[in-house]
Short mmCIF file of all heavy atoms in Angstrom, two decimals:
data_model
loop_
_atom_site.label_atom_id
_atom_site.label_comp_id
_atom_site.label_asym_id
_atom_site.label_seq_id
_atom_site.Cartn_x
_atom_site.Cartn_y
_atom_site.Cartn_z
N ALA A 4 11.14 14.60 -5.52
CA ALA A 4 10.49 13.30 -5.73
C ALA A 4 9.64 12.95 -4.53
O ALA A 4 10.07 13.43 -3.31
CB ALA A 4 11.52 12.23 -6.05
N ILE A 5 8.60 12.28 -4.61
CA ILE A 5 7.85 11.78 -3.45
C ILE A 5 8.70 10.95 -2.58
O ILE A 5 9.41 10.02 -3.10
CB ILE A 5 6.59 11.10 -3.90
CG1 ILE A 5 5.70 11.98 -4.73
CG2 ILE A 5 5.90 10.49 -2.74
CD1 ILE A 5 5.22 13.25 -3.96
N THR A 6 8.65 11.19 -1.31
CA THR A 6 9.59 10.48 -0.30
C THR A 6 8.94 9.15 0.11
O THR A 6 7.72 8.93 -0.02
CB THR A 6 9.94 11.32 0.79
OG1 THR A 6 8.74 11.50 1.58
CG2 THR A 6 10.51 12.65 0.37
N ALA A 7 9.79 8.35 0.75
CA ALA A 7 9.39 7.13 1.26
C ALA A 7 8.35 7.41 2.36
O ALA A 7 7.28 6.71 2.46
CB ALA A 7 10.51 6.34 1.93
N ALA A 8 8.55 8.43 3.25
CA ALA A 8 7.56 8.69 4.32
C ALA A 8 6.26 9.17 3.74
O ALA A 8 5.21 8.85 4.21
CB ALA A 8 8.12 9.83 5.17
N GLN A 9 6.31 9.90 2.66
CA GLN A 9 5.01 10.38 2.00
C GLN A 9 4.20 9.23 1.42
O GLN A 9 3.03 9.10 1.45
CB GLN A 9 5.31 11.45 1.00
CG GLN A 9 5.76 12.81 1.59
CD GLN A 9 6.50 13.70 0.62
OE1 GLN A 9 6.92 13.32 -0.47
NE2 GLN A 9 6.74 14.92 1.12
N TYR A 10 4.91 8.30 0.74
CA TYR A 10 4.26 7.14 0.20
C TYR A 10 3.77 6.20 1.28
O TYR A 10 2.69 5.57 1.18
CB TYR A 10 5.16 6.36 -0.72
CG TYR A 10 4.39 5.54 -1.66
CD1 TYR A 10 3.68 6.11 -2.78
CD2 TYR A 10 4.29 4.14 -1.53
CE1 TYR A 10 2.93 5.27 -3.62
CE2 TYR A 10 3.48 3.35 -2.36
CZ TYR A 10 2.87 3.94 -3.44
OH TYR A 10 2.12 3.14 -4.28
N VAL A 11 4.48 6.07 2.41
CA VAL A 11 4.07 5.29 3.57
C VAL A 11 2.75 5.83 4.12
O VAL A 11 1.85 5.10 4.58
CB VAL A 11 5.16 5.13 4.54
CG1 VAL A 11 4.56 4.69 6.02
CG2 VAL A 11 6.19 4.08 4.16
N HIS A 12 2.67 7.12 4.20
CA HIS A 12 1.38 7.86 4.69
C HIS A 12 0.28 7.34 3.82
O HIS A 12 -0.82 6.96 4.36
CB HIS A 12 1.61 9.33 4.59
CG HIS A 12 0.42 10.09 4.80
ND1 HIS A 12 0.15 10.81 5.96
CD2 HIS A 12 -0.68 10.33 4.07
CE1 HIS A 12 -1.03 11.44 5.95
NE2 HIS A 12 -1.68 11.22 4.67
N PHE A 13 0.44 7.35 2.47
CA PHE A 13 -0.61 6.92 1.61
C PHE A 13 -0.93 5.46 1.88
O PHE A 13 -2.13 5.10 1.97
CB PHE A 13 -0.14 7.13 0.10
CG PHE A 13 -0.87 6.23 -0.88
CD1 PHE A 13 -2.15 6.49 -1.22
CD2 PHE A 13 -0.09 5.19 -1.46
CE1 PHE A 13 -2.72 5.73 -2.19
CE2 PHE A 13 -0.70 4.47 -2.38
CZ PHE A 13 -2.03 4.64 -2.80
N LEU A 14 0.09 4.62 2.03
CA LEU A 14 -0.18 3.17 2.17
C LEU A 14 -0.92 2.92 3.47
O LEU A 14 -1.84 2.03 3.52
CB LEU A 14 1.10 2.36 2.21
CG LEU A 14 1.80 2.30 0.83
CD1 LEU A 14 3.21 1.64 1.03
CD2 LEU A 14 1.01 1.49 -0.18
N ASN A 15 -0.59 3.66 4.53
CA ASN A 15 -1.31 3.45 5.83
C ASN A 15 -2.72 3.89 5.64
O ASN A 15 -3.57 3.37 6.34
CB ASN A 15 -0.52 4.18 6.84
CG ASN A 15 0.60 3.35 7.40
OD1 ASN A 15 0.52 2.10 7.46
ND2 ASN A 15 1.73 4.00 7.74
N GLU A 16 -3.03 5.00 4.95
CA GLU A 16 -4.49 5.38 4.66
C GLU A 16 -5.18 4.21 4.02
O GLU A 16 -6.31 3.84 4.42
CB GLU A 16 -4.55 6.63 3.85
CG GLU A 16 -4.29 7.93 4.65
CD GLU A 16 -4.84 9.11 3.93
OE1 GLU A 16 -5.19 9.07 2.76
OE2 GLU A 16 -4.99 10.20 4.64
N ALA A 17 -4.53 3.59 2.98
CA ALA A 17 -5.16 2.52 2.31
C ALA A 17 -5.41 1.34 3.20
O ALA A 17 -6.36 0.69 3.14
CB ALA A 17 -4.30 2.21 1.11
N ALA A 18 -4.34 1.05 4.01
CA ALA A 18 -4.44 -0.12 4.87
C ALA A 18 -5.49 0.10 5.93
O ALA A 18 -6.30 -0.91 6.29
CB ALA A 18 -3.05 -0.31 5.57
N ALA A 19 -5.70 1.30 6.49
CA ALA A 19 -6.71 1.58 7.47
C ALA A 19 -8.06 1.37 6.89
O ALA A 19 -9.08 1.03 7.58
CB ALA A 19 -6.53 3.03 8.03
N ALA A 20 -8.21 1.62 5.59
CA ALA A 20 -9.48 1.38 4.90
C ALA A 20 -9.69 -0.05 4.41
O ALA A 20 -10.69 -0.30 3.78
CB ALA A 20 -9.60 2.33 3.70
N GLY A 21 -8.73 -0.98 4.64
CA GLY A 21 -8.83 -2.28 4.22
C GLY A 21 -8.70 -2.50 2.73
O GLY A 21 -9.24 -3.46 2.15
N LEU A 22 -7.89 -1.59 2.04
CA LEU A 22 -7.80 -1.58 0.65
C LEU A 22 -6.56 -2.17 0.02
O LEU A 22 -6.31 -2.01 -1.16
CB LEU A 22 -8.17 -0.26 0.04
CG LEU A 22 -9.53 0.30 0.39
CD1 LEU A 22 -9.69 1.78 -0.10
CD2 LEU A 22 -10.63 -0.57 -0.28
N VAL A 23 -5.67 -2.73 0.90
CA VAL A 23 -4.46 -3.29 0.27
C VAL A 23 -4.14 -4.61 0.96
O VAL A 23 -4.75 -5.04 1.92
CB VAL A 23 -3.15 -2.35 0.73
CG1 VAL A 23 -3.29 -0.98 0.04
CG2 VAL A 23 -3.06 -2.22 2.24
N LYS A 24 -3.30 -5.43 0.21
CA LYS A 24 -2.89 -6.66 0.67
C LYS A 24 -1.46 -6.92 0.21
O LYS A 24 -0.94 -6.31 -0.72
CB LYS A 24 -3.80 -7.76 0.12
CG LYS A 24 -3.87 -7.91 -1.46
CD LYS A 24 -4.95 -8.85 -1.90
CE LYS A 24 -5.06 -8.86 -3.42
NZ LYS A 24 -6.13 -9.77 -3.92
N GLU A 25 -0.85 -7.87 0.91
CA GLU A 25 0.56 -8.20 0.57
C GLU A 25 0.65 -9.64 0.08
O GLU A 25 -0.08 -10.50 0.59
CB GLU A 25 1.41 -8.00 1.81
CG GLU A 25 2.91 -8.32 1.67
CD GLU A 25 3.28 -9.74 1.95
OE1 GLU A 25 2.55 -10.48 2.63
OE2 GLU A 25 4.41 -10.20 1.51
N ARG A 26 1.51 -9.82 -0.84
CA ARG A 26 1.72 -11.21 -1.45
C ARG A 26 3.22 -11.22 -1.87
O ARG A 26 3.61 -10.52 -2.74
CB ARG A 26 0.78 -11.55 -2.61
CG ARG A 26 0.96 -12.97 -3.09
CD ARG A 26 -0.13 -13.21 -4.10
NE ARG A 26 -0.17 -14.60 -4.60
CZ ARG A 26 0.25 -15.05 -5.74
NH1 ARG A 26 0.82 -14.20 -6.58
NH2 ARG A 26 0.14 -16.28 -6.05
N TYR A 27 3.99 -12.18 -1.22
CA TYR A 27 5.38 -12.38 -1.53
C TYR A 27 6.17 -11.12 -1.62
O TYR A 27 6.99 -10.92 -2.48
CB TYR A 27 5.54 -13.12 -2.89
CG TYR A 27 4.79 -14.47 -2.92
CD1 TYR A 27 4.04 -14.86 -4.01
CD2 TYR A 27 4.87 -15.36 -1.87
CE1 TYR A 27 3.42 -16.14 -4.06
CE2 TYR A 27 4.31 -16.59 -1.89
CZ TYR A 27 3.60 -16.97 -2.93
OH TYR A 27 2.98 -18.16 -2.97
N GLY A 28 5.93 -10.19 -0.64
CA GLY A 28 6.69 -9.00 -0.56
C GLY A 28 6.29 -7.94 -1.45
O GLY A 28 6.96 -6.92 -1.63
N THR A 29 5.11 -7.91 -2.10
CA THR A 29 4.62 -6.93 -2.96
C THR A 29 3.26 -6.53 -2.52
O THR A 29 2.46 -7.37 -2.04
CB THR A 29 4.54 -7.41 -4.49
OG1 THR A 29 5.85 -7.68 -4.92
CG2 THR A 29 4.01 -6.33 -5.36
N ILE A 30 2.95 -5.21 -2.56
CA ILE A 30 1.59 -4.69 -2.11
C ILE A 30 0.71 -4.46 -3.37
O ILE A 30 1.12 -3.98 -4.32
CB ILE A 30 1.86 -3.35 -1.41
CG1 ILE A 30 2.76 -3.53 -0.17
CG2 ILE A 30 0.51 -2.79 -0.96
CD1 ILE A 30 2.35 -4.62 0.87
N TYR A 31 -0.51 -4.93 -3.17
CA TYR A 31 -1.58 -4.85 -4.19
C TYR A 31 -2.81 -4.25 -3.65
O TYR A 31 -3.09 -4.33 -2.48
CB TYR A 31 -1.88 -6.29 -4.77
CG TYR A 31 -0.83 -7.03 -5.33
CD1 TYR A 31 0.09 -7.85 -4.55
CD2 TYR A 31 -0.58 -7.04 -6.78
CE1 TYR A 31 1.08 -8.57 -5.24
CE2 TYR A 31 0.49 -7.74 -7.29
CZ TYR A 31 1.31 -8.52 -6.48
OH TYR A 31 2.36 -9.24 -7.10
N PRO A 32 -3.67 -3.66 -4.50
CA PRO A 32 -5.04 -3.25 -4.00
C PRO A 32 -5.82 -4.47 -3.77
O PRO A 32 -5.62 -5.50 -4.33
CB PRO A 32 -5.55 -2.43 -5.21
CG PRO A 32 -4.79 -2.95 -6.42
CD PRO A 32 -3.41 -3.31 -5.90
N ILE A 33 -6.71 -4.38 -2.76
CA ILE A 33 -7.40 -5.55 -2.26
C ILE A 33 -8.30 -6.22 -3.36
O ILE A 33 -8.55 -7.44 -3.27
CB ILE A 33 -8.29 -5.13 -1.08
CG1 ILE A 33 -8.74 -6.27 -0.30
CG2 ILE A 33 -9.49 -4.14 -1.55
CD1 ILE A 33 -7.65 -6.98 0.40
N ASP A 34 -8.73 -5.47 -4.35
CA ASP A 34 -9.60 -6.11 -5.39
C ASP A 34 -8.82 -6.66 -6.58
O ASP A 34 -9.43 -6.92 -7.59
CB ASP A 34 -10.75 -5.10 -5.76
CG ASP A 34 -10.19 -3.89 -6.46
OD1 ASP A 34 -9.00 -3.72 -6.41
OD2 ASP A 34 -11.05 -3.10 -6.92
#
């Protein structure tokens, strides 16, 4: 199964591109 570290890598790529946001403890795409 995809690991937490592997998914965190993906999220940090998205965050570096400004494509994610957080709301009440949940992560969403920016749009």
Side-chain angles (χ1 to χ4, degrees):
I5 296 301
T6 66
Q9 289 161 350
Y10 199 77
V11 160
H12 172 102
F13 157 71
L14 290 173
N15 279 324
E16 282 201 346
L22 295 176
V23 296
K24 59 186 176 184
E25 182 268 342
R26 184 173 187 257
Y27 301 137
T29 297
I30 303 302
Y31 299 86
I33 196 68
D34 61 352

